Amino acid sequence: ENEKEFLIRGIAINETTTRNGIRYIAQELEKAAPSFRGKPILLDHKNEVKNIVGRTTDNVMYNSTKKAIEFEAKIMDKEIQNMINDGRLTDVSIGAKVQDLVQNKEEKFVTAVGIEGLEISLVAVPGDPGANIGQALENSFQLKEKYIKENEEEEEDFSDDFVEDEDVDEQMMDEGEMKKMIKKQHPDWSDKDI
């Protein structure tokens, strides 16, 4: 039990618009930071017990100078410790649930509102290029974005509260559907950008 803890520190998510058109703003990140304390560190957002390789500590906070959520995590998995030490693993991505997505049609993005941290994953390619040692989206996030895209032409007056959380939790969107939706929105992107 004399083994020293293997701690990593870094940025979970910056104020940014991610590759899939989701905007994270400073005031929402500041409110969300404490929700990332004591959360699992997963591999590639795979929500399975065998993919838990660590856990965030209480040292997760919003840095107002960097406009980012900084985190510290304890990594227990020896193989993952080695991959971090030799530089193969350097990037992270957040897994979050949001209360709402606010559409901005002119600039082709949606702003995440009411972010709740669920996990931080070690990933090969992050949604936020500045997130290192934030982006998986909770189903409600993905479904609402899909709904917005499908109904953009039909609805002139867009209401931000058209979907209830209970309804969203029962629906699922797989990765293939998400990629198709993103490619429809951004035809010039390749799979590696998503």
Side-chain angles (χ1 to χ4, degrees):
E1 293 294 323
N2 287 354
E3 249 181 87
K4 198 174 175 201
E5 288 187 334
F6 189 96
L7 294 174
I8 60 171
R9 292 179 187 87
I11 293 176
I13 182 82
N14 292 281
E15 179 176 61
T16 188
T17 300
T18 60
R19 291 181 171 128
N20 52 4
I22 309 297
R23 172 155 296 173
Y24 291 92
I25 60 172
Q27 68 190 48
E28 292 296 327
L29 293 178
E30 186 171 9
K31 289 188 273 184
S35 70
F36 283 95
R37 294 176 185 152
K39 296 296 162 96
I41 299 293
L42 300 179
L43 296 178
D44 296 310
H45 301 295
K46 291 193 174 127
N47 193 13
E48 299 170 356
V49 171
K50 66 181 180 181
N51 288 310
I52 301 172
V53 297
R55 191 160 283 279
T56 60
T57 67
D58 284 339
N59 192 11
V60 178
M61 54 205 59
Y62 178 74
N63 180 320
S64 57
T65 306
K66 293 181 181 176
K67 294 186 177 178
I69 295 176
E70 295 180 323
F71 75 99
E72 175 184 76
K74 179 180 174 185
I75 304 297
M76 292 87 151
D77 186 286
K78 298 287 182 217
E79 184 182 346
I80 299 305
Q81 290 176 3
N82 290 335
M83 291 177 78
I84 291 168
N85 275 335
D86 69 21
R88 281 180 287 167
L89 273 178
T90 59
D91 297 314
V92 297
S93 178
I94 64 165
K97 180 179 177 182
V98 299
Q99 289 174 1
D100 205 357
L101 292 171
V102 179
Q103 176 75 25
N104 183 320
K105 291 182 181 179
E106 299 80 44
E107 297 186 44
K108 300 287 187 214
F109 63 80
V110 288
T111 300
V113 176
I115 303 162
E116 178 192 344
L118 301 176
E119 51 96 357
I120 296 177
S121 277
L122 297 167
V123 295
V125 181
D128 169 8
N132 55 57
I133 278 244
Q135 316 326 58
L137 306 176
E138 184 66 14
N139 291 332
S140 61
F141 214 32
Q142 298 170 355
L143 288 164
K144 186 166 179 190
E145 185 178 26
K146 183 179 180 186
Y147 182 94
I148 290 167
K149 299 303 168 219
E150 289 173 352
N151 295 289
E152 212 169 35
E153 297 83 33
E154 301 167 17
E155 294 188 27
E156 286 297 313
D157 190 288
F158 176 74
S159 169
D160 290 328
D161 57 3
F162 63 87
V163 66
E164 295 295 323
D165 284 344
E166 306 88 45
D167 301 331
V168 171
D169 291 341
E170 295 171 7
Q171 302 173 37
M172 297 293 240
M173 177 186 291
D174 67 23
E175 190 176 342
E177 290 174 311
M178 181 73 174
K179 284 186 177 184
K180 283 180 198 168
M181 181 182 71
I182 292 169
K183 281 185 177 182
K184 187 176 174 185
Q185 182 182 358
H186 302 282
D188 55 320
W189 286 6
S190 70
D191 279 343
K192 68 180 182 203
D193 294 323
I194 299 173

